Amino acid sequence: MIILTKINQLDNIDTITDKLKADISQSISILNTAYGVDRDVYNDLGGFCCIVSNEDDIKLLLDRWNADILNDISEVTLEIDGYIKKLFIISSDYAIVTYIKASLIDQLR
């Protein structure tokens, strides 16, 4: 899983489309504006965006953040260039925006 908290981290990813990068950038900007650029996402402040690549990533989200991205109802669900974007509000100060390949979701259902 690729966890993203800063927009410049997108520069190192060449496996996704520009349209998807733009959407992730917008989501990161919203989190940064609300919670600060230097927030500690591992200590429950602000949250992050992530690109989910496999079943182990899905398990990590469930085990670490109690986010069941396959079964929980998300606040937002959108399809963007073959990825499904889901926004999960974990608490009043924490959100996770996931981007998972639609084909992976289909494969696991």
Side-chain angles (χ1 to χ4, degrees), residues 4 10 16 20-28 49 51 99:
L4 303 157
L10 288 167
I16 60 175
L20 188 59
K21 281 185 182 183
D23 192 86
I24 295 170
S25 177
Q26 181 181 26
S27 295
I28 292 170
C49 295
I51 300 172
Y99 295 83

Side-chain angles (χ1 to χ4, degrees), residues 5-33:
T5 59
K6 294 182 169 81
I7 293 170
N8 67 350
Q9 292 173 304
L10 288 167
D11 296 339
N12 301 323
I13 302 172
D14 58 0
T15 57
I16 60 175
T17 65
D18 289 340
K19 184 176 180 180
L20 188 59
K21 281 185 182 183
D23 192 86
I24 295 170
S25 177
Q26 181 181 26
S27 295
I28 292 170
S29 291
I30 292 167
L31 291 171
N32 287 349
T33 299

